[in-house]
Amino acid sequence: MKALVWHGTTDVRCDSVPDPEIEDGRDAIIKVTSCAICGSDLHLYDHFMPGMKSGDILGHETMGEVVEVGRDNKALKVGDRIVVPFTITCGQCEQCRRGNFSVCERTNRNKTLGDAAFGHTTAGLFGYTHLTGGYSGGQAEYLRVPFADSTHIKVPDGISDEKLLFLSDILPTGWQGAVQCDIQPTDTVVVWGCGPVGQMAIRSAILLGAKRVIAIDRVPERLSMAEAGGAEVLDYHEESNIVGRLNDMTDGKGPEKCIDAVGLEAHATGAIDAIYDRAEQAMLMATDRIHVLRQMIMVCRPAGVLSVPGVYGGIADKFPIGALMNKGLTVRTGQTHVKRWSDDLLRRIEQGQLDPSFVITHTVGLEDGPEMYRTFRDKQDGCIKVVIKP
Ligand code: NAD
Ligand code: ZN
Ligand code: ZN
């Protein structure tokens, strides 16, 4: 089959690879009908996340039709239409039973690597480094879904792939980012980053009743999309002092809730802390650039909440722990517990309350995948979200 394969920094190719096979009784194989490139894939493309190996198949936003089912899998049958959550879940361990699916205790088959990197293993993820299991991803014609009797969202016919695909990741990720803010009707919520995750977080925060949502980015079409979703917008290239501006917009008190939808590759122009981050990254003294996190800590109203769906991979420096502690801020973060939210979000899609397809700007075949990684990373051609039809 054809698949998008990681070969090294900014080197993704559309290769011919062996078809996947059932390896365990709980598995299923799907024929992929749609998949997408995520901002998290860009951290692999730029090689800021450790643990990739040349030859790894990428992709963790995938849906399709079940074409083969393992003998112990009683939950699926050939012909079922499923969306595949990016977090692989056993459905049985203590964390899965509590709904903490992204920290499933059993699905990372490289548990010792996970333990070493993070103190404890987290769930296996599709196409996302050997620290989280080294599982082949779904930017391919076929995908083996391990633990498929638990790791699936069954979806009805009659709704387009485009409306359903993002149940795999960015829709529940934006939703969880907003839910974690415990939004009150009096709250101002600020969302850093207007990529696909930021867009979903903006709409979720509004749906969850925020008084006001302010979104920050520098890419004009992303800011326009945020505005169309109901946010007031700030261009961080034009605002030299984002913290000061946000304080001005909130009577000097700062926003109650802050969402980081940027992650470890935060950009900044001229800020001293950002220059430090770049230098330390280059000297391998720190892995992550935390400019946005620092702004969030400094501007958040005391006793407020920082919600961090943005991905971080390792360690960072110049973390304002004093401000975080003395202001009594709450930090909530994590890879998304996709299955915790999917019944509710699917119902909202079925009822027409949510249509996440608005974010799609490009639809291409697999062979155009490598070029689209670059286009998406460089935000060229108005690119906000790429869907691939294998
Ligand atoms: P993206 O790269 O398309 O979007 C990031 C946006 O942040 C860009 O539009 C960029 O211009 C903007 N940005 C950069 N620096 C900024 C700054 N200083 N201030 C404000 N905006 C800034 O990616 P995406 O798909 O939207 O994903 C966003 C983040 O969410 C990534 O880190 C991704 O890995 C993460 N993510 C997490 C989960 C999860 O489970 N927690 C799931 C999916 C994605
Ligand atoms: Zn993702
Ligand atoms: Zn589990």
Side-chain angles (χ1 to χ4, degrees):
M1 66 165 183
K2 292 260 182 275
L4 298 187
V5 177
W6 189 90
H7 286 274
T9 310
T10 65
D11 185 0
V12 171
R13 301 177 207 165
C14 183
D15 288 346
S16 289
V17 299
D19 286 356
E21 290 173 2
I22 298 279
E23 294 175 20
D24 180 274
R26 297 180 64 180
D27 288 358
I29 308 279
I30 64 165
K31 182 176 179 8
V32 177
T33 54
S34 299
C35 56
I37 308 177
C38 177
S40 298
D41 292 323
L42 297 179
H43 304 320
L44 309 178
Y45 185 69
D46 292 332
H47 205 176
F48 285 118
M49 283 293 289
M52 289 299 283
K53 290 184 187 165
S54 180
D56 289 347
I57 300 176
L58 294 162
H60 60 265
E61 300 186 340
T62 315
M63 68 180 291
E65 185 189 325
V66 175
V67 292
E68 207 181 334
V69 180
R71 79 187 120 67
D72 303 322
N73 186 333
K74 308 290 179 232
L76 290 173
K77 58 181 191 322
V78 170
D80 281 344
R81 187 182 187 212
I82 62 169
V83 171
V84 183
F86 77 97
T87 37
I88 304 171
T89 56
C90 77
Q92 296 161 336
C93 72
E94 194 183 326
Q95 294 287 12
C96 280
R97 279 187 278 118
R98 290 177 192 276
N100 299 328
F101 296 107
S102 75
V103 288
C104 169
E105 294 166 338
R106 294 193 192 155
T107 52
N108 184 356
R109 58 188 173 179
N110 296 334
K111 180 178 179 313
T112 44
L113 284 182
D115 285 343
F118 303 135
H120 297 97
T121 187
T122 55
L125 304 179
F126 289 98
Y128 215 74
T129 87
H130 290 262
L131 300 178
T132 50
Y135 291 102
S136 289
Q139 287 164 5
E141 288 178 291
Y142 293 89
L143 173 68
R144 175 177 84 94
V145 183
F147 300 89
D149 52 353
S150 163
T151 308
H152 71 265
I153 302 163
K154 260 191 215 173
V155 290
D157 293 331
I159 305 180
S160 67
D161 276 21
E162 284 67 18
K163 287 188 181 176
L164 297 169
L165 174 61
F166 303 136
L167 283 168
S168 59
D169 179 350
I170 54 167
L171 176 59
T173 295
W175 184 257
Q176 179 173 302
V179 170
Q180 286 184 155
C181 287
D182 186 20
I183 292 172
Q184 305 299 310
T186 46
D187 281 347
T188 297
V189 180
V190 180
V191 180
W192 275 256
C194 298
V197 169
Q199 299 293 341
M200 299 300 159
I202 290 164
R203 282 151 182 84
S204 300
I206 287 171
L207 213 55
L208 291 166
K211 183 182 79 176
R212 190 175 179 199
V213 176
I214 302 170
I216 308 170
D217 206 299
R218 75 186 150 98
V219 183
E221 58 274 15
R222 294 180 179 218
L223 289 170
S224 307
M225 191 181 266
E227 224 166 5
E232 297 163 59
V233 297
L234 293 179
D235 179 338
Y236 71 83
H237 259 194
E238 289 182 356
E239 300 286 346
S240 57
N241 181 358
I242 282 288
V243 169
R245 183 69 200 278
L246 288 172
N247 275 326
D248 289 347
M249 292 171 83
T250 51
D251 299 327
K253 293 184 168 194
E256 289 90 343
K257 309 289 159 71
C258 298
I259 300 178
D260 171 355
V262 177
L264 65 93
E265 291 180 71
H267 289 237
T269 36
I272 289 181
D273 69 298
I275 296 168
Y276 265 121
D277 284 349
R278 290 246 178 215
E280 292 194 65
Q281 222 173 27
M283 291 186 292
L284 306 178
M285 289 165 64
T287 53
D288 298 8
R289 305 202 296 257
I290 60 163
H291 182 66
V292 164
L293 275 180
R294 293 189 192 100
Q295 287 185 334
M296 287 179 26
I297 291 171
M298 294 315 285
V299 81
C300 190
R301 188 173 301 196
V305 179
L306 313 179
S307 173
V308 186
V311 160
Y312 291 86
I315 51 169
D317 196 7
K318 313 267 179 303
F319 184 80
I321 183 75
L324 180 77
M325 186 272 161
N326 285 286
K327 283 162 71 175
L329 304 180
T330 299
V331 182
R332 301 188 69 189
T333 183
Q335 300 282 1
T336 304
H337 307 299
V338 176
K339 292 261 289 186
R340 193 192 285 178
W341 316 110
S342 46
D343 286 354
D344 181 26
L345 292 173
L346 175 58
R347 180 184 54 80
R348 289 176 194 261
I349 292 169
E350 286 179 302
Q351 292 176 348
Q353 208 186 107
L354 274 175
D355 177 2
S357 65
F358 73 89
V359 82
I360 301 169
T361 51
H362 291 66
T363 303
V364 299
L366 262 183
E367 61 288 353
D368 294 320
E371 194 191 323
M372 290 319 296
Y373 263 83
R374 195 170 321 109
T375 307
F376 177 45
R377 198 268 315 257
D378 296 341
K379 298 160 185 71
Q380 286 174 343
D381 195 28
C383 185
I384 300 180
K385 188 73 179 177
V386 182
V387 170
I388 299 171
K389 300 281 189 179

